[in-house]
Each structure stands twice: as structure tokens, then as C-alpha cells.
Amino acid sequence: MTKIIEKKYCTGCEACLNVCSHAAIIMERDSEGFDYPSIDGGKCVECGLCTKVCPVLHYEETADYRKEYNDVQKAVAAKTNREEWRQISSSGGIFPVVANYILEQNGMVVGAAFDGCFDVHHIIIDNKNDLFKVQASKYAQSRIGNIYKEIKKYLADGKLVLFAGMACQVEGLKSFLRKEYSNLYTIDLICMGIPSPGVWRSYLDTTFHGEKIKFVNFKDKTYGWRTFSLCVETDQRSFLQKGFDNAFFQCMFKTYSLRPSCFNCPFKKEERLSDFTLADCWGTVEEVPHLDDNKGLSSVIIHSSKGWRLWKKLASLVDTKDVALASIVVHNENLVRNRQCSSYRHEFYKLFVHSPRQAFIRYGRNPKNGKWRRLKLLVKRVLKK
């Protein structure tokens, strides 16, 4: 066996890595900074489990079950009334509400966290004091490792488990488990695509060269929720830059740093295999102005009856208002539509491989600010004449 799936369709969910009992699969990083499964021919016994577990290859086969699972499809705008949770969270603080409940039931919470080098990995926590580690957005693809196998052991032992990740990662977990567990809850996120962990690593190394990074927040709310900023604390300075002016974010917004499979993602649908889908309440906030204080508001889609039963238990911890699912789709089309790949993506990576710093300088500019600067220069020239 030479490959599991064409590279351009591989989401990097790592279900194949977890299912291989012969340890014949490892994840290797390519020049764009993404991890892909690589098969060791000496260990592979050609059992075919890696292809059977791939959620992309078998997406169409789960269509009927997907409709059955999505038996609620209720949409709400919501925020937690625990201000300390919302302050740390990227939007309305709904994830910590759900996660805290699971932890109170002696359950396990699985989510994306920074390691000591501020790369992103999924971890498992069982203590409320560690909840902050898996809160807030992480705009780089998270390594799964053997997390799915660990989750399966906890589920088999009867532990409550909450898994939070991207839609492709939820699909990877469900495909690996091969059956539904009543003690498993899942949360996915509306995303435009997954940024390269290699690009993120290079951004830190070039922007903060020689500095020791102590803290990172991708969506700092110093300027408010709607004008989020990248905050980085080092041993030498405090860095705060609005997202739309930041080179790393610009490379993401322009699709340069997104994973190739994100342009062909089959999971961008209203119907998901998750119990909840979370996102910023962009646009829809206009329908619920009494909930908007510019400190963060979430769009929440409850897909399953299991998720709905849990949501009702959390009612005392959230301020919420029903909204139309169609409104979320209109204002956050990343729920159902793939982004088109930029024609400059190849040029970005061609330069990035040789000089990440120059790639960020050349391709990480805010085009709106660039036009404004050019207009001001033009006005100055006219006035001089």
C-alpha cells in the first residue's frame, strides 16, 4: 500500500494513525507545514483499516445516518453569564459552560491546547483548574496523536467525555470509534479552513526571534470582540496587533496558509456528526442587540437530541435567544461553503520555503490598508503639484 487518500483531500484528522495496530503510520510534515500520514512498508500488513477509517473516503456512505443524527437542528445566539469564562473565551464563552458541566460529572474534556513551544496539540483534562488550557481559539491545525485511542478507553470505562475540534476531527473520531457512545459529546466549530502549523511556527520564530514567549491569545478582546487582536507576551515585550493588520492572520484570510483539503471539505454542511457547532455570532447579532455588549457572543447550533438534553441542563448559565439557522448560514457562510484557493497561494509558499520573513512581509499586508496608503500618497503628490 502506498497511500491512503490523495494528498489534496487528506484533512490530517489522524484517524488512520489511531486505527493502525501495527504502528505502520506516522505523520510527516511537508514543505507547507502540514502533517500527512506516511506508511512504513516494512510494518504495514495491508489490512486496509486505514482506508476503511478515513472519513473523507466514506463520507457519502454516512449520509442517511447523518440525517438521522441531526434530529434537532436548533439555532441560538448565546453567551455565558460567567464573565470570567467569557473574558478568556474567543466569543460568547459557551465551550467552558459545556466543558465545566462534564468536569463536574467527573468526566474528561478533550480540546486543543498550546504546548511549551506554543505549537497546538489536543490534550485531555479532568480538572477544572486546567480548563483555561483548552479555551480560546487556536488558529493552527492541532496534532491529534493517539488521543482517539485514549478517548475510546475512557468511553469503555463509562466516563463522560467531551471532545472539541474541527468538523474533520470530529468525523475522524466518530469514524475511528465505529459506533455511537451515549457518554460522548462532541463540539465542532465553523471554520474557513485550517491554517498551517508550520506557518504559525515560522511566524513566531521570525517575529519574536531571540525572545521567550510566555503567552499567546489569538483573539484578544482589548479593542472589543468585533475588533479582535493577536496578543503575544514575551520576556522582552507585550505585542498586541489587530487581527486584520496582522501578517499571520492576513495569510489565513487570503487562504495562503490554509490546508489544501479545506478547499474541498465535504463536512461543510448544516448537518454535522457533532452535538454542537459553535461560532462567533457575526451578523446574526443584529437580531439580538440586547445580548451584544462587544465582549463576545456565540452562534450555537444544537444538532442532536442528546445535545439538546444537555443544553437544557445548562440553561441557568447562559443568556440565550433563538435565531433562525438560515440567519447563521447567511452571516457565516463558512458553515456550508468552501473558500476558493487564492491564485497567489503557490507564490506565497514558493517564497515561504526560502524566506518566511519575506513571505510575511510581501503577502501578509492588509489590502485595504494598502489601498488607503496608496490613496494618501496620491493625494500628497497632487497637492505638491
Side-chain angles (χ1 to χ4, degrees):
M1 183 179 292
T2 56
K3 65 178 180 180
I4 300 169
I5 187 175
E6 284 188 60
K7 189 175 179 179
K8 66 180 179 179
Y9 297 118
C10 175
T11 66
C13 73
E14 302 188 50
C16 56
L17 173 75
N18 281 262
V19 81
C20 183
S21 59
H22 297 276
I25 298 176
I26 61 172
M27 302 299 289
E28 292 187 341
R29 186 155 291 188
D30 72 352
S31 61
E32 293 185 349
F34 292 105
D35 298 315
Y36 291 89
S38 175
I39 300 174
D40 183 340
K43 295 180 179 180
C44 178
V45 297
E46 299 193 13
C47 64
L49 284 177
C50 55
T51 57
K52 291 178 182 177
V53 81
C54 177
V56 176
L57 289 176
H58 302 285
Y59 176 78
E60 296 299 331
E61 299 171 18
T62 61
D64 291 339
Y65 175 70
R66 197 177 303 276
K67 290 180 180 179
E68 180 183 335
Y69 195 80
N70 286 254
D71 56 353
V72 174
Q73 290 298 83
K74 185 176 180 63
V76 299
K79 63 180 180 181
T80 178
N81 52 36
R82 294 278 296 271
E83 285 301 312
E84 66 273 23
W85 287 348
R86 192 160 60 124
Q87 184 177 3
I88 297 174
S89 298
S90 296
S91 48
I94 299 304
F95 169 73
V97 171
V98 183
N100 185 72
Y101 174 83
I102 298 296
L103 294 172
E104 285 182 338
Q105 311 308 309
N106 296 316
M108 320 298 288
V109 173
V110 188
F114 289 121
D115 64 12
C117 298
F118 289 92
D119 293 319
V120 186
H121 300 259
H122 262 64
I123 65 170
I124 300 176
I125 65 168
D126 60 0
N127 191 308
K128 289 184 181 181
N129 293 330
D130 292 326
L131 182 54
F132 74 96
K133 296 179 181 178
V134 291
Q135 277 186 257
S137 299
K138 313 291 192 306
Y139 286 102
Q141 183 162 22
S142 176
R143 280 299 312 272
I144 292 294
N146 292 311
I147 285 287
Y148 298 160
K149 289 193 285 189
E150 295 182 53
I151 290 173
K152 188 174 183 178
K153 291 178 183 177
Y154 286 121
L155 293 172
D157 290 340
K159 284 276 190 180
L160 270 182
V161 178
L162 171 66
F163 176 85
M166 312 312 293
C168 54
Q169 292 170 330
V170 172
E171 294 272 348
L173 171 62
K174 292 286 186 83
S175 184
F176 167 78
L177 293 174
R178 301 181 70 82
K179 71 173 187 177
E180 284 296 335
Y181 287 83
S182 60
N183 50 331
L184 172 66
Y185 293 92
T186 54
I187 290 174
D188 70 15
L189 310 171
I190 298 178
C191 73
M192 64 179 290
I194 303 176
S196 162
V199 170
W200 168 240
R201 179 76 264 149
S202 293
Y203 175 77
L204 290 181
D205 290 345
T206 56
T207 308
F208 305 98
H209 179 69
E211 302 176 47
K212 182 179 180 180
I213 298 173
K214 296 183 174 182
F215 174 81
V216 171
N217 185 353
F218 278 107
K219 294 187 73 174
D220 179 270
K221 297 177 181 177
T222 297
Y223 298 112
W225 163 59
R226 285 185 290 272
T227 311
F228 67 89
S229 303
L230 174 65
C231 174
V232 180
E233 298 283 347
T234 78
D235 60 344
Q236 299 180 27
R237 57 173 166 153
S238 295
F239 176 90
L240 185 67
Q241 188 174 42
K242 292 180 181 179
F244 287 98
D245 294 328
N246 178 262
F248 175 78
F249 276 110
Q250 279 300 313
C251 290
M252 181 183 76
F253 295 145
K254 296 173 184 176
T255 76
Y256 303 153
S257 62
L258 300 188
R259 191 177 181 100
S261 62
C262 296
F263 305 117
N264 308 286
C265 179
F267 310 124
K268 288 203 169 186
K269 300 286 191 298
E270 291 181 16
E271 296 173 338
R272 308 276 179 115
L273 285 186
S274 59
D275 299 299
F276 305 95
T277 293
L278 305 182
D280 288 287
C281 195
W282 304 132
T284 310
V285 70
E286 298 171 1
E287 301 177 27
V288 287
H290 62 288
L291 292 179
D292 180 28
D293 56 6
N294 199 23
K295 294 181 181 179
L297 188 64
S298 298
S299 291
V300 184
I301 305 172
I302 304 103
H303 297 285
S304 66
S305 53
K306 181 171 67 173
W308 178 239
R309 288 191 294 270
L310 176 56
W311 182 255
K312 288 191 290 185
K313 293 179 181 179
L314 308 174
S316 64
L317 295 172
V318 294
D319 299 323
T320 181
K321 176 70 175 177
D322 291 357
V323 296
L325 178 56
S327 176
I328 294 179
V329 175
V330 167
H331 296 295
N332 202 332
E333 64 177 11
N334 290 321
L335 174 69
V336 295
R337 293 186 181 88
N338 289 317
R339 295 292 297 271
Q340 286 190 330
C341 180
S342 169
S343 59
Y344 293 101
R345 187 179 184 278
H346 174 73
E347 296 301 319
F348 165 77
Y349 272 113
K350 187 177 179 181
L351 179 57
F352 175 81
V353 169
H354 298 288
S355 176
R357 182 182 296 276
Q358 288 302 314
F360 289 126
I361 292 173
R362 182 177 300 180
Y363 293 96
R365 298 171 181 169
N366 185 331
K368 292 183 180 180
N369 286 350
K371 291 179 181 178
W372 177 243
R373 282 193 292 269
R374 288 193 293 273
L375 179 59
K376 289 195 291 185
L377 288 173
L378 178 61
V379 170
K380 285 182 179 179
R381 292 193 191 103
V382 172
L383 292 174
K384 284 182 179 180
K385 289 182 179 180

